[in-house]
Amino acid sequence: MKLNYDPETDSLYIHLRDIPSVDSREISDGLILDFDADGVAVGIDIQHAGKMADIHFLTTMNIPYHQKK
């Protein structure tokens, strides 16, 4: 999973999987889910992220660590 914040557009994109999206659905104002060809969520786009989330603070909890080979 990757997080990418663009300060110019104040948008935060959360890459859930490294697979291209083929469909997007806005589930609420400024919150868009991206899906792959099988309908599986691959990303979350948060518009106006500075208003919707505390983008200056990130905490991870109970994240399993697997080193890539």
Side-chain angles (χ1 to χ4, degrees):
M1 181 175 8
K2 297 181 221 173
L3 302 175
N4 184 33
Y5 177 70
D6 183 346
E8 290 185 22
T9 61
D10 189 26
S11 61
L12 175 66
Y13 193 82
I14 303 168
H15 301 263
L16 301 174
R17 301 173 69 203
D18 195 18
I19 296 173
S21 66
V22 297
D23 188 24
S24 297
R25 293 183 210 139
E26 187 168 17
I27 60 168
S28 68
D29 188 33
L31 185 60
I32 302 151
L33 296 182
D34 288 339
F35 299 91
D36 69 8
D38 295 321
V40 176
V42 296
I44 303 167
D45 190 0
I46 304 171
Q47 300 296 310
H48 314 291
K51 296 176 185 174
M52 297 180 73
D54 184 358
I55 59 170
H56 302 287
F57 185 74
L58 175 66
T59 301
T60 58
M61 298 172 59
N62 301 318
I63 303 294
Y65 174 76
H66 297 282
Q67 188 173 12
K68 287 188 175 186
K69 294 180 183 182

